[in-house]
Amino acid sequence: MPRTTTLELHKEEMKFSAGHFTIFSATHRENLHGHNFTVFVALTGEVTDNGMLSDYGPLKRTIIERCHSWNETFFLPDRSPHLKLERNAKGDVLAHFNGEELRFLARDVTVLPVANVTLEELARVFGEELVGDGSAMRRDGVLKLVVKCASGPGQWSSWEWEAA
Ligand SMILES: Nc1nc2c(c(=O)[nH]1)N=C([C@H](O)[C@H](O)COP(=O)(O)OP(=O)(O)OP(=O)(O)O)CN2
């Protein structure tokens, strides 16, 4: 009788400190600030006759590497309807919002393919980069993967992928 299981990964290292501002409208945004974000990943699939879903080691390393790459940076959204970004030859960014100009050095900024730097969008981008085209997940027998992202204790967003 096939049995499914869910593995939950929420290690101490699955965290990143980053800055951002949420944009609420064409004229209203937050001031620049930061959070200590944490990440939780759950994968569900069938337990094989070897008594395991699949080795979660490679996925754990990938999650931690992504958290490290998002640590100590400032996020900007590349798809905001309200914020326009210009990059110079050095990769420095000039962001235009409601008549304001915000300048960032290339070393300090991470531009994400998101409409807004929110928990919802961070979880989505994180999850989509983990899953890719889904082939590795299917190879490893993963039927469902959930990514949750928190901006602090008790405040999470969630993103889900399911094998077709
Ligand atoms: N739907 C969403 N709404 C808001 C988001 C979001 O990601 N999705 N984010 C924000 C801001 O980032 C804001 O900084 C979060 O503020 P806050 O809730 O105050 O977060 P804290 O970690 O500071 O939690 P405290 O409750 O203040 O301790 C707003 N809306």
Side-chain angles (χ1 to χ4, degrees):
M1 175 69 175
R3 172 170 67 87
T4 59
T5 189
T6 295
L7 300 169
E8 296 186 346
L9 303 172
H10 186 38
K11 301 292 286 186
E12 170 62 28
E13 282 185 274
M14 295 178 184
K15 63 183 177 184
F16 53 93
S17 298
H20 81 120
F21 54 90
T22 299
I23 299 172
F24 301 105
S25 72
T27 56
H28 178 208
R29 68 170 174 84
E30 291 180 309
N31 290 335
L32 281 59
H33 65 283
H35 300 278
N36 294 317
F37 294 93
T38 56
V39 173
F40 161 103
V41 176
L43 48 158
T44 299
E46 283 185 17
V47 179
T48 67
D49 57 10
N50 189 31
M52 63 192 293
L53 166 51
S54 61
D55 178 11
Y56 57 62
L59 180 67
K60 194 165 117 176
R61 286 188 290 276
T62 302
I63 295 164
I64 290 169
E65 282 164 15
R66 166 55 65 207
C67 286
H68 289 170
S69 74
W70 277 7
N71 193 44
E72 293 187 4
T73 191
F74 192 90
F75 291 137
L76 286 173
D78 207 14
R79 301 175 181 171
S80 167
H82 308 307
L83 184 83
K84 291 298 163 252
L85 304 181
E86 284 180 70
R87 276 189 185 276
N88 67 17
K90 292 184 293 179
D92 301 337
V93 177
L94 178 60
H96 300 271
F97 174 83
N98 188 33
E100 299 172 324
E101 286 188 350
L102 300 90
R103 297 178 185 277
F104 300 87
L105 294 176
R107 61 171 289 188
D108 291 329
V109 72
T110 299
V111 178
L112 294 176
V114 299
N116 211 343
V117 182
T118 57
L119 289 180
E120 301 88 312
E121 286 280 72
L122 290 174
R124 173 184 65 80
V125 171
F126 203 105
E128 288 178 352
E129 291 186 0
L130 279 186
V131 171
D133 65 6
S135 54
M137 293 292 157
R138 290 185 190 89
R139 178 200 63 209
D140 293 347
V142 177
L143 300 173
K144 176 178 177 181
L145 182 134
V146 174
V147 172
K148 294 187 179 182
C149 186
S151 60
Q155 194 157 281
W156 298 84
S157 65
S158 185
W159 175 87
E160 292 189 8
W161 171 86
E162 290 203 51

